Amino acid sequence: MLIKKKTGIEIPSSEITPHSIYLNRRNFMKGAAAAAAGSLLAACAPGSNDPAATSTAVSPTIAPPTAAASQTTGGAAAALPPRPEADELGDPLNSFEEITNYNNYYEFTLDKEEVAQAAADYPTSPWQIEVGGLVQNPGVYDLDALRGFDQEERIYRLRCVEAWSMVIPWLGFPLAKLLNEVEPTADAKFVRFETINDPDNMPGQRSAWFEWPYVEGLRLDEAMHDLTLLATGLYGETLLPQNGAPVRLVVPWKYGFKSIKSIVRIDLAADMPRSLWMAAAANEYGFYANVNPDVDHPRWSQGSERRIGERGRRRTLMFNGYEEQVAHLYDGMDLRVNF
Ligand SMILES: Nc1nc2c(c(=O)[nH]1)N[C@H]1C(S)=C(S)[C@@H](COP(=O)(O)O)O[C@H]1N2
Ligand SMILES: [Mo]
């Protein structure tokens, strides 16, 4: 993966490229990236475009079976290396526009193209995350405290369980840094995350299809893995509400639904947490939810995916292309049983 270090997230608004200029620049860079990626693909990602995998199946929707940036300019930021135009496999970044206008956020709406508008006015400041459970030093982290962790840019693939994907330049910090501060006790084996509960302002939470608030979980070693990020921004800009502002999890080797948005609680626990999706349909959405082209969803294939912005389908990679980094976490486990 590509990692660019950056200290502090404070970006004066005067240093942020106006959005219109920004989008034009992105369009330009996308063309350049596509050209560069063309030559890289052959060497780095053989077979990642697999026309034979084109599916005729209807577009799946994640649901229980019963239910239907800009770069900163000037100052210290000018010294930053330019943002790469592609991920480490040579595939171009999705545009800011794509990443912020095609979202899953069931607290607002089930329509991916309506989330941005539905969430636009959601207040994300002030905010705090309470961290507790089986820890030596429980604590409350407000936005300043979260921004106090060195922010890094990480270009990750996001692979939704619905079989679409994007490449996203996140801004954030490894969850391990926060967990090390609160010091999990020896009994802590899992981490449980909870989204804000706010049915007055999140219309989706008034629906009885799901057990709100949204809950997700990781095994402690997964949570401590360096790839596991708490994201506060993308494309160098503060996260927008539709992407889970002000702070969301990003676990790039797992299906997107593990990457829980707008977190207000993190608890260390001895027992495996029950996620919203396990509660809704445990046979379809398991606790591990590792991206795995060999284990199909009961209602659709996971062998291929549609990269947003591309025609056709591409082969899905084991652990979403992070096999080298994470496969050891699952040594000896049957990934069909622990799906
Ligand atoms: N609280 C909450 N977190 C969530 C979801 C949600 O509906 N609610 N959707 C998940 C799913 S299914 C995906 S694919 C990703 C999408 O993240 P993005 O919209 O930033 O691309 O968020 C995940 N996190
Ligand atoms: Mo998803």
Side-chain angles (χ1 to χ4, degrees):
M1 76 255 52
L2 300 161
I3 298 174
K4 191 172 72 177
K5 284 234 177 199
K6 178 184 175 202
T7 304
I9 193 182
E10 305 300 341
I11 304 169
S13 56
S14 60
E15 294 188 356
I16 293 177
T17 309
H19 198 63
S20 52
I21 296 174
Y22 168 78
L23 284 175
N24 287 336
R25 183 170 161 276
R26 288 306 312 157
N27 287 340
F28 165 75
M29 286 183 63
K30 232 193 149 193
S39 53
L40 282 169
L41 264 177
C44 303
S48 70
N49 268 306
D50 182 4
T54 300
S55 167
T56 53
V58 290
S59 175
T61 299
I62 184 169
T66 48
S70 69
Q71 302 249 47
T72 56
T73 56
L80 284 174
R83 174 175 300 121
E85 295 166 347
D87 67 10
E88 81 284 11
L89 302 181
D91 293 322
L93 273 54
N94 280 94
S95 68
F96 183 86
E97 202 167 21
E98 288 165 337
I99 298 165
T100 56
N101 285 287
Y102 191 83
N103 304 98
N104 268 330
Y105 204 166
Y106 277 20
E107 283 83 345
F108 289 100
T109 167
L110 307 194
D111 184 335
K112 284 183 258 299
E113 291 171 21
E114 294 291 328
V115 172
Q117 205 190 329
D121 298 326
Y122 193 74
T124 57
S125 174
W127 196 270
Q128 58 182 39
I129 302 185
E130 230 177 300
V131 189
L134 300 177
V135 297
Q136 310 280 5
N137 303 315
V140 175
Y141 290 77
D142 64 12
L143 288 178
D144 283 343
L146 293 168
R147 287 168 183 162
F149 291 96
D150 282 359
Q151 309 289 310
E152 304 174 20
E153 181 160 272
R154 301 261 185 125
I155 297 174
Y156 285 163
R157 293 169 289 286
L158 176 92
R159 200 320 191 150
C160 178
V161 73
E162 298 164 341
W164 55 265
S165 61
M166 296 201 206
V167 181
I168 302 178
W170 298 107
L171 194 63
F173 60 93
L175 173 63
K177 290 191 177 176
L178 183 146
L179 294 179
N180 284 333
E181 273 195 12
V182 297
E183 292 183 49
T185 68
D187 295 334
K189 298 287 183 279
F190 293 92
V191 187
R192 180 184 184 278
F193 305 85
E194 202 174 287
T195 291
I196 192 169
N197 188 42
D198 187 6
D200 287 344
N201 297 304
M202 292 178 151
Q205 288 187 336
R206 303 198 286 268
S207 142
W209 286 117
F210 299 99
E211 278 180 30
W212 304 105
Y214 201 102
V215 168
E216 261 307 337
L218 295 173
R219 225 169 51 193
L220 183 55
D221 58 344
E222 297 176 321
M224 293 295 290
H225 195 287
D226 182 62
L227 285 177
T228 303
L229 215 62
L230 280 179
T232 56
L234 62 84
Y235 266 117
E237 291 193 38
T238 302
L239 219 52
L240 293 174
Q242 60 265 40
N243 294 106
V247 56
R248 60 92 60 85
L249 187 69
V250 180
V251 194
W253 71 95
K254 293 176 178 285
Y255 291 121
F257 67 84
K258 299 295 290 183
S259 293
I260 181 173
K261 296 180 169 179
S262 52
I263 298 167
V264 293
R265 276 204 71 86
I266 299 177
D267 285 295
L268 284 285
D271 299 318
M272 181 183 284
R274 184 161 164 270
S275 68
L276 171 141
W277 284 108
M278 291 162 76
N283 61 321
E284 301 196 356
Y285 310 105
F287 174 80
Y288 284 94
N290 292 316
V291 174
N292 187 339
D294 302 325
V295 178
D296 286 337
H297 186 279
R299 291 183 282 133
W300 59 83
S301 166
Q302 294 294 25
S304 70
E305 67 199 52
R306 181 171 63 95
R307 177 66 47 86
I308 300 305
E310 271 181 14
R311 273 181 290 129
R313 298 179 73 83
R314 55 168 61 215
R315 197 166 58 89
T316 287
L317 303 175
M318 187 65 196
F319 294 113
N320 203 24
Y322 303 97
E323 184 167 18
E324 208 177 298
Q325 292 94 328
V326 302
H328 68 93
L329 295 171
Y330 311 103
D331 277 349
M333 282 176 62
D334 184 338
L335 298 180
R336 289 185 176 277
V337 177
N338 300 286
F339 63 90

